[in-house]
Amino acid sequence: MASMTSAEPAFAEAWLPLAKVGGASLYVGDCLEWLAEQPRHAFHGVVTDPPYGIVEYTAREQRKLRMGQGGVWRLPPAFDGHQRSPLPRFTTLTAEDLDGLCSFFRTWTEVLVPVLVPGSHVLVASNPLVSHLVAGAVCSGGLERRGEVVRLVMTMRGGDRPKNAHEEFSDVSVMPRSKWEPWLLFRKPLEGRVQDNLRTWGTGGLRRVSDEKPFSDVIESTPTRRAERKLAPHPSLKPQAFLRQVVRAILPLGSGVVLDPFAGSGSTLAAAERVGYCSVGVERDPTYARLAVSAIPKLRDYEPGPGRLSTRSR
């Protein structure tokens, strides 16, 4: 793969990376604390899949998940010999939980903005039930809303009949079966015009797929395959076939540093490695961080198979 990385910025000396894999650096810690101590203008784009409702990634709920006890997490039964991935039940969130979500994402944005160069794009995975709250909080924190990338995928969320009354109301679905996932797109305000910002900072737009084809806000996808989940068993793992497309698009000139402040099992960093970008990830949970160290090279080298995108830098 051709390299399109730039030199990694000098991060705060108090933080040492847990590991480096090629051009990817992984740190363990709370991203709010980590971001607050980093130099200005260190990053050129963000692709991240944050904890949607915050509650589901608290130590208490993660402990329940790992013990198979559920809690906020819905633990689906095996189906056709395949174990479905657990999903957070956002209908259980209280008004206080939702207020906390808004407060968290506003604070996160406020500490994120200074470390981004002007014109940096920020792509944030969300969920239809809370995306409006996340979008409002991020905009109030200082980023501009630039649209939404729709991941067309059957998520297995919704479509169920009323619990304990499925026979009585057999023609009723409590919620529509979800077939899409919103990824919210934002941008740090430009310095001057787009072309001025591109010349100065290398940011301000999105990288085209080709000369003939611009980056689109609708991307067909599939659920993460079982073989890929074995490489990185994280409950929110997104497929490399999708991530490689959005990570590639986030740096318009093909150079810079991509940040994932909610790194999880390192899937964004693996996608950046695959397309030839320098990247930095921060993960609070030591268990997931240790998983990421081994998963990044495996996901980087993972081939989605016939009919699936296999993006390499061009």
Side-chain angles (χ1 to χ4, degrees), residues 84-163:
R84 295 185 193 172
S85 178
L87 292 171
R89 294 182 290 195
F90 299 124
T91 52
T92 67
L93 298 182
T94 66
E96 184 178 1
D97 292 334
L98 296 175
D99 286 343
L101 179 148
C102 293
S103 177
F104 175 85
F105 277 102
R106 174 165 184 156
T107 299
W108 173 71
T109 307
E110 289 172 346
V111 295
L112 174 66
V113 167
V115 307
L116 299 177
V117 304
S120 296
H121 275 84
V122 177
L123 187 63
V124 180
S126 193
N127 172 275
L129 294 180
V130 298
S131 62
H132 62 297
L133 299 176
V134 175
V138 170
C139 288
S140 68
L143 292 176
E144 304 170 339
R145 183 78 187 272
R146 296 293 291 174
E148 196 163 310
V149 174
V150 173
R151 178 184 170 219
L152 292 179
V153 59
M154 177 75 78
T155 65
M156 303 304 294
R157 188 187 302 280
D160 298 327
R161 296 178 175 88
K163 189 175 182 180

Side-chain angles (χ1 to χ4, degrees), residues 43-302:
F43 301 102
H44 304 79
V46 175
V47 176
T48 192
D49 183 4
Y52 290 163
I54 307 302
V55 172
E56 72 273 17
Y57 279 95
T58 60
R60 178 173 179 267
E61 294 298 333
Q62 283 293 294
R63 187 163 53 249
K64 287 184 178 182
L65 173 63
R66 288 163 182 162
M67 295 177 66
Q69 295 178 345
V72 168
W73 292 87
R74 178 172 68 84
L75 303 179
F79 182 73
D80 289 344
H82 297 282
Q83 188 69 38
R84 295 185 193 172
S85 178
L87 292 171
R89 294 182 290 195
F90 299 124
T91 52
T92 67
L93 298 182
T94 66
E96 184 178 1
D97 292 334
L98 296 175
D99 286 343
L101 179 148
C102 293
S103 177
F104 175 85
F105 277 102
R106 174 165 184 156
T107 299
W108 173 71
T109 307
E110 289 172 346
V111 295
L112 174 66
V113 167
V115 307
L116 299 177
V117 304
S120 296
H121 275 84
V122 177
L123 187 63
V124 180
S126 193
N127 172 275
L129 294 180
V130 298
S131 62
H132 62 297
L133 299 176
V134 175
V138 170
C139 288
S140 68
L143 292 176
E144 304 170 339
R145 183 78 187 272
R146 296 293 291 174
E148 196 163 310
V149 174
V150 173
R151 178 184 170 219
L152 292 179
V153 59
M154 177 75 78
T155 65
M156 303 304 294
R157 188 187 302 280
D160 298 327
R161 296 178 175 88
K163 189 175 182 180
N164 299 324
H166 57 280
E167 293 183 356
E168 182 181 359
F169 300 103
S170 60
D171 293 334
V172 176
S173 292
V174 177
M175 294 179 61
R177 169 58 58 82
S178 180
K179 294 187 177 182
W180 70 291
E181 181 178 71
W183 285 64
L184 308 175
L185 185 64
F186 307 94
R187 188 176 68 183
K188 181 172 177 177
L190 301 168
E191 283 188 355
R193 302 167 298 174
V194 172
Q195 57 266 46
D196 300 326
N197 208 94
L198 283 164
R199 292 175 185 130
T200 302
W201 298 103
T203 55
L206 297 166
R207 193 176 181 189
R208 296 176 67 92
V209 176
S210 67
D211 288 343
E212 299 77 25
K213 186 178 180 181
F215 178 72
S216 171
D217 64 0
V218 176
I219 299 177
E220 294 185 8
S221 184
T222 64
T224 309
R225 299 302 185 186
R226 189 180 185 186
E228 196 168 347
R229 289 191 179 280
K230 284 184 177 180
L231 302 178
H234 186 282
S236 301
L237 184 69
K238 299 300 187 292
Q240 285 293 296
F242 171 79
L243 286 174
R244 291 168 189 173
Q245 294 182 72
V246 295
V247 168
R248 183 184 182 279
I250 212 71
L251 299 182
L253 302 185
S255 63
V257 183
V258 178
L259 171 67
D260 184 355
F262 305 100
S265 59
S267 54
T268 296
L269 277 62
E273 277 291 286
R274 181 63 175 238
V275 301
Y277 292 168
C278 185
S279 64
V280 173
V282 185
E283 174 53 42
R284 185 178 66 176
D285 190 313
T287 300
Y288 290 140
R290 288 192 295 269
L291 169 63
V293 174
S294 62
I296 291 171
K298 296 175 183 176
L299 291 173
R300 175 198 62 204
D301 297 336
Y302 175 72

